[in-house]
Amino acid sequence: REPAPQSASRRNNPLIATAGLIVLVFVAYWPLTHGKFFGDDFVWLVQNHFMHHWSGLKYIWGVFGTTDQYYPLTFTALLAQYKMWGANAVGFHLVSLFLQALNAVLLWRILTRLGLKSAWVIAAVFAIHPVQVESLGIVLEQRNLLSATFYFGAALAWVRWDGGLDSRGAGAPGDSLAAGLRPTAPRRIVMRCSVRTAWYLLASLFYCLALLAKSDTCTLPAALLLVTWWKLGRLMWRDILATLPWFVFGLLMAGVTIYLEHPGGVVAGSQFSFALAPRLLIAGKNLWFYPWKLLWPWPLLIIYPRWHVGTLGGWAWLYPLTAFALPAILLLGRRKIGRGPFTALAFYGMTVAPVLGFISWGFMTYSFVADHFQYLPCIGLIALVTEGFLVLVANTATGRAERLAPQGHGSPCYKPGAALSQRSDHQKPVAAACSSAALLVLGVLTWRQSGLYASELRNWKHNLRYNPSAFVLGAVGVYECRHGHAARGLSHLLKSCQLSGGADPEIDAAIGTTYDRIYHKYPVAIPYYQLALRHDSYMLSVILALGHCYERLGNWIQARADLKYGLKKFPRSAALHFELANVLVMQRNYSAAARQYRDALCYERHNTQALYNLALTLEKLGQWPKALLRFRQALRVSPQFAQGHFEYGKCLYLHGQAAAAAQQFQQVIHFWPNQPVGYRALARALTTLGHPRQAAAASAEATRLQQRNSLPPPPP
């Protein structure tokens, strides 16, 4: 008697499979728990005050430019994490590991419902492949992880909504429950319609959240239609109409991203100006770069070499020609090999399309490729290779079983073509051994790559070993300057400038910044800033820094001319309007300065410093009611702005509102408890109000603080 077959729950226990994916992720990426903040993490998280207080939510959601991109859901999650553990990067990295494990589990469930036999292996490879380390090692790249969570959630809900895609078919839990109740036919229809509607609404909600986390997920509706065609061999109007609202919202969010980066944003200048032919070359080379990194993930770099498109010969056209011809060949041969290979490649192509180079994006300044760009697209390639390997092993095992089968006993053990539906005993150990070996190798490589993120300098030096470009050498120099090693950092920057022949505007700007901000050698910094603008006239930060240098030198005429030149390039820049207004104030042209401050506030309504400076300017023009209004607006935005409370109180006192002024001076004392200026101003206001005793006490405290602050420091 043959032994009774094991139950499905024991053969494929979902709890064990889920636990396995979670353990794989936390073991492979555990060195990241010792990682620090990296690169843009400092600018947009650690040094961005909007990310430190709950009041910043209204700016994250309502004001463009508060964050590097309009991804409000991602930055809301980062703000919540910052409130929990502050500037400690460990907590952020643990959240990244949790999101990666969750994404792996969701992907496994989706692929299982779609009927892929190697679903768990695909999810495991996706979870711990070394190319994913960058998405977890840089805190700001949580936008990849969080958007993918909602991306997978939307896809899983869609599969449940479209019953034809679910490999379980009518055996889905919801259907079996409805069948067990045995309702009447009309009632059964109503129940099924309501359940389907709920799944569709849930999928739509998750898709919207994915877009708010990162707009690159706008390709999801096209991917779902592709998977529908793969499973059913056709597209129905129901599926097309259901995705139309998704396409509209996805294009809207993609348009917002393009609007923020293009003219007037960060994407402007010669390094982004390519004709159609160079863009085709870039796209073709990108399409082949990512599969190669999946198959041979070494070395993995933060900044890969930027290709010089103009030097590529005629043979380079093989990249786009083969990249676009291969899917066409698979599509034409789908009757012999099935629709799966084309679907996998098409999913990869359409998901990576936003970063192929047809539309310029800010990172193109440094490189045309990055590991985090293929976080989602790699799923198609991993599925293609894994399922293809399983077919190969299954066919080999089937052939062996046919050779071992007794002759003359009818058909062979397995019918040709049934290798994926019925695994032989010879196939299982081979597939399991190969999968385990592949996961072990990937896990070791991921562990090693994760260790590079323990130190930003270590990562940059690793990058410099394989990409000795001017930018990477300059990045090492910038790191040294930022961490107190100005001489060594400046040496790296000057070597980088020599390597680029002075033609790299980023390096020229970094050298100018070092002389400007660290050494305060403004005459030396100015030529480097001018050299940077000669190669790229759209560098807003350099225009501002150049104007700042001329301000420090007292050359108001040249500073004013440079800032007006910048406004021709960036008419919507609040920073340029603000700096020009400051120059006009120094020239005592208060009327023109007030106009520039108002222009700055047109583009940044909640700029505290602009509101404060405008109030001071209006006060000098004698328009004190308007000045008081601007002071109140500034303090409404930044209630802890002590200098604002002081100047507001002075304005109130000078115009006969001593009681209100006293309240403002008390706020100054609250925020500046060790400064005598608040007590002295409060004493003056209290004297006017007829409170001599309180005024004397405040004056005595001001005298005590002034004497204490003037004392020399104690000897060591």
Side-chain angles (χ1 to χ4, degrees):
R1 179 180 299 179
E2 295 182 358
Q6 292 181 339
S7 64
S9 60
R10 292 187 62 186
R11 288 198 310 266
N12 301 309
N13 192 320
L15 293 179
I16 296 177
T18 300
L21 291 173
I22 295 173
V23 170
L24 279 177
V25 168
F26 275 84
V27 170
Y29 294 101
W30 189 252
L32 288 180
T33 58
H34 305 289
K36 309 297 182 183
F37 291 111
F38 194 96
D40 287 344
D41 293 345
F42 293 98
V43 178
W44 296 107
L45 179 60
V46 180
Q47 300 170 0
N48 187 355
H49 69 277
F50 290 109
M51 300 296 298
H52 302 164
H53 305 283
W54 292 117
S55 59
L57 287 176
K58 61 182 178 182
Y59 303 105
I60 292 173
W61 286 86
V63 180
F64 290 150
T66 303
T67 53
D68 68 330
Q69 281 291 0
Y70 187 68
Y71 301 149
L73 187 62
T74 295
F75 286 96
T76 299
L78 291 174
L79 188 153
Q81 295 173 58
Y82 194 94
K83 295 297 291 183
M84 284 189 285
W85 33 73
N88 187 354
V90 175
F92 292 91
H93 288 303
L94 286 175
V95 171
S96 296
L97 265 63
F98 169 77
L99 289 174
Q100 180 70 353
L102 177 60
N103 290 343
V105 173
L106 290 174
L107 177 61
W108 166 57
R109 298 310 303 162
I110 293 170
L111 298 179
T112 300
R113 286 192 169 274
L114 291 177
L116 273 70
K117 298 299 182 182
S118 58
W120 190 90
V121 179
I122 295 172
V125 173
F126 164 81
I128 65 169
H129 199 286
V131 299
Q132 311 290 36
V133 174
E134 184 177 335
S135 295
L136 281 79
I138 301 177
V139 172
L140 205 60
E141 291 305 326
Q142 273 192 19
R143 51 193 166 190
N144 258 3
L145 306 172
L146 187 62
S147 63
T149 299
F150 293 111
Y151 181 99
F152 292 140
L156 186 58
W158 174 276
V159 172
R160 296 298 302 270
W161 170 75
D162 194 344
L165 299 183
D166 196 334
S167 62
R168 303 184 185 187
D175 293 339
S176 61
L177 177 61
L181 296 176
R182 299 186 181 277
T184 59
R187 185 177 176 186
R188 185 184 302 122
I189 295 174
V190 171
M191 289 181 63
R192 288 183 177 177
C193 290
S194 61
V195 171
R196 286 170 58 85
T197 302
W199 282 118
Y200 175 75
L201 293 177
L202 184 62
S204 301
L205 173 62
F206 283 156
Y207 175 63
C208 293
L209 294 175
L211 288 172
L212 292 173
K214 190 176 182 181
S215 59
D216 285 358
T217 54
C218 63
T219 59
L220 176 59
L224 292 176
L225 291 179
L226 177 68
V227 172
T228 302
W229 171 82
W230 165 57
K231 291 290 290 184
L232 306 180
R234 66 188 187 281
L235 288 177
M236 294 185 291
W237 280 108
R238 179 196 64 180
D239 300 318
I240 297 174
L241 293 176
T243 56
L244 280 180
W246 294 25
F247 276 111
V248 172
F249 191 54
L251 291 175
L252 175 64
M253 293 302 298
V256 169
T257 300
I258 295 172
Y259 170 77
L260 291 177
E261 287 202 342
H262 284 70
V266 297
V267 178
S270 58
Q271 68 269 37
F272 302 102
S273 301
F274 297 106
L276 179 60
R279 289 187 184 275
L280 286 173
L281 289 173
I282 293 171
K285 201 163 184 179
N286 287 358
L287 283 170
W288 283 111
F289 172 86
Y290 295 119
W292 171 246
K293 279 300 171 184
L294 283 175
L295 293 174
W296 189 258
W298 186 263
L300 298 177
L301 309 177
I302 295 292
I303 305 292
Y304 289 100
R306 190 176 189 267
W307 307 315
H308 299 285
V309 181
T311 62
L312 294 177
W315 60 268
W317 283 100
L318 290 175
Y319 288 118
L321 290 177
T322 53
F324 296 127
L326 183 59
I329 294 173
L330 295 178
L331 180 62
L332 294 175
R334 66 186 183 278
R335 295 187 181 277
K336 292 185 177 180
I337 62 175
R339 296 185 295 270
F342 169 78
T343 301
L345 280 188
F347 174 85
Y348 160 68
M350 68 172 54
T351 310
V352 81
V355 290
L356 286 181
F358 294 114
I359 300 174
S360 298
W361 69 95
F363 193 76
M364 289 177 69
T365 305
Y366 319 113
S367 178
F368 296 121
V369 292
D371 289 337
H372 67 271
F373 289 161
Q374 66 163 324
Y375 181 79
L376 286 174
C378 70
I379 296 171
L381 300 175
I382 294 172
L384 178 62
V385 173
T386 307
E387 283 287 299
F389 174 76
L390 182 60
V391 169
L392 179 63
V393 172
N395 288 340
T396 303
T398 301
R400 183 180 177 186
E402 290 175 355
R403 292 193 301 270
L404 295 177
Q407 300 297 324
H409 290 79
S411 59
C413 297
Y414 293 98
K415 297 180 180 179
L420 288 181
S421 59
Q422 294 179 331
R423 297 188 182 186
S424 68
D425 293 335
H426 305 286
Q427 175 192 355
K428 291 181 181 179
V430 174
C434 293
S435 300
S436 301
L439 292 177
L440 178 62
V441 172
L442 292 176
V444 171
L445 291 176
T446 298
W447 174 282
R448 182 175 180 180
Q449 186 69 19
S450 299
L452 293 177
Y453 288 82
S455 167
E456 185 180 0
L457 182 60
R458 179 183 176 187
N459 206 325
W460 281 124
K461 288 185 174 180
H462 167 77
N463 208 123
L464 189 62
R465 186 180 307 134
Y466 297 97
N467 178 23
S469 65
F471 174 79
V472 178
L473 184 60
V476 176
V478 170
Y479 178 90
E480 297 280 13
C481 291
R482 194 171 65 225
H483 289 79
H485 306 290
R488 193 163 57 201
L490 183 59
S491 175
H492 285 304
L493 288 171
L494 292 174
K495 289 179 182 178
S496 176
C497 186
Q498 293 176 358
L499 186 63
S500 65
D504 191 328
E506 296 285 342
I507 301 303
D508 299 330
I511 297 174
T513 302
T514 303
Y515 281 120
D516 175 8
R517 305 287 177 83
I518 298 178
Y519 291 106
H520 305 296
K521 296 181 178 180
Y522 307 114
V524 182
I526 287 174
Y528 284 101
Y529 284 145
Q530 291 173 337
L531 183 61
L533 290 175
R534 193 178 307 152
H535 291 97
D536 184 2
S537 60
Y538 282 88
M539 299 184 72
L540 175 59
S541 60
V542 175
I543 296 173
L544 289 167
L546 187 58
H548 174 266
C549 286
Y550 282 120
E551 287 181 48
R552 292 293 184 179
L553 293 174
N555 191 344
W556 311 115
I557 297 176
Q558 187 61 48
R560 183 175 177 179
D562 286 340
L563 292 171
K564 284 187 173 180
Y565 163 80
L567 283 172
K568 293 180 181 178
K569 300 284 186 180
F570 302 95
R572 297 186 293 111
S573 172
L576 284 172
H577 285 289
F578 178 78
E579 288 298 329
L580 180 57
N582 291 341
V583 172
L584 291 169
V585 167
M586 299 305 298
Q587 293 182 308
R588 300 182 184 277
N589 190 348
Y590 299 120
S591 298
R595 287 195 296 270
Q596 291 300 322
Y597 283 131
R598 290 191 182 97
D599 289 340
L601 291 170
C602 287
Y603 304 110
E604 288 185 6
R605 295 184 298 110
H606 303 285
N607 188 322
T608 303
Q609 196 65 42
L611 289 166
Y612 171 71
N613 287 9
L614 177 57
L616 294 177
T617 306
L618 292 172
E619 190 177 9
K620 291 182 180 296
L621 290 171
Q623 303 176 16
W624 69 271
K626 293 182 179 179
L628 292 175
L629 174 63
R630 295 298 183 176
F631 276 128
R632 286 194 293 270
Q633 290 177 347
L635 294 174
R636 194 177 301 124
V637 175
S638 300
Q640 299 179 356
F641 186 24
Q643 185 67 38
H645 285 288
F646 179 74
E647 293 294 339
Y648 183 33
K650 279 178 55 179
C651 188
L652 290 169
Y653 180 79
L654 291 174
H655 293 89
Q657 301 182 30
Q663 293 179 357
Q664 295 303 316
F665 294 143
Q666 288 173 349
Q667 290 294 318
V668 175
I669 293 172
H670 176 71
F671 296 116
W672 282 350
N674 297 321
Q675 296 297 325
V677 61
Y679 290 98
R680 188 173 293 113
L682 178 61
R684 191 178 299 114
L686 290 173
T687 300
T688 303
L689 292 172
H691 302 292
R693 184 173 300 176
Q694 293 89 334
S699 181
E701 182 66 17
T703 303
R704 186 187 69 82
L705 289 174
Q706 185 172 2
Q707 292 175 351
R708 191 188 70 175
N709 294 341
S710 63
L711 291 175

